[in-house]
Amino acid sequence: MISAWSRRSLLAGTAVLTTGGAAAAKEDRLSEGVAILIDSNESYVMGHAISYSANLAKHFAERGAKLLIEVIANGKGIDVFRADKSPLIEPLATMRQSLPNLNYSMCASSKTIAEAKEQITIPLIPGANLVPFGIGRVVDLQLKGWAYIHA
């Protein structure tokens, strides 16, 4: 039998699984949301994570389901939500307008470390929020029943 923890945990870039027991393995069971973690500043990784958001929203909308999605930037991945560095400022803004259930979160700890290293204040893109610890946010959401994707 697969443990609840195993059902909630996803491997990088794999399909979204549902939470709950075998009887709860229905497509409409994913009612909480999906957390997508970005911890790389590689453009293609950031782009894939944002693409996952759009594809998931479309996938569940076609089934009449409302899905909450939170993209969480941690470590070097915070570049995705930096107004001074993000290669995706326009696509991120467009997605936020078209997907009201999409949230962007940046790890405040990673931001503080980067600011100290670079000796600057890092500006966030519009719509991005700070969370104390990116990885802590991922775990908090998983404990609430959210699925997890590591981009």
Side-chain angles (χ1 to χ4, degrees), residues 82 84 111 114-116 118-124:
R82 287 182 61 163
D84 62 338
K111 179 179 181 280
E115 287 175 333
E118 297 176 36
Q119 297 291 303
I120 63 167
T121 298
I122 294 174
L124 277 63

Side-chain angles (χ1 to χ4, degrees), residues 53-65:
S53 301
N55 291 341
L56 283 168
K58 183 177 179 183
H59 176 79
F60 283 92
E62 288 173 354
R63 289 163 173 71

Side-chain angles (χ1 to χ4, degrees), residues 14 18 22 25 27 35 37 39 41 44 56 65 67-69 81 101-102 114 118 122 124-125 138 144-145 149:
T14 61
T18 59
E27 280 188 40
L37 177 68
D39 60 3
N41 61 358
Y44 72 92
L56 283 168
L67 181 68
L68 300 175
I69 301 170
F81 299 140
N101 297 322
L102 175 64
E118 297 176 36
I122 294 174
L124 277 63
I125 63 166
V138 169
K144 291 178 182 177
I149 297 172

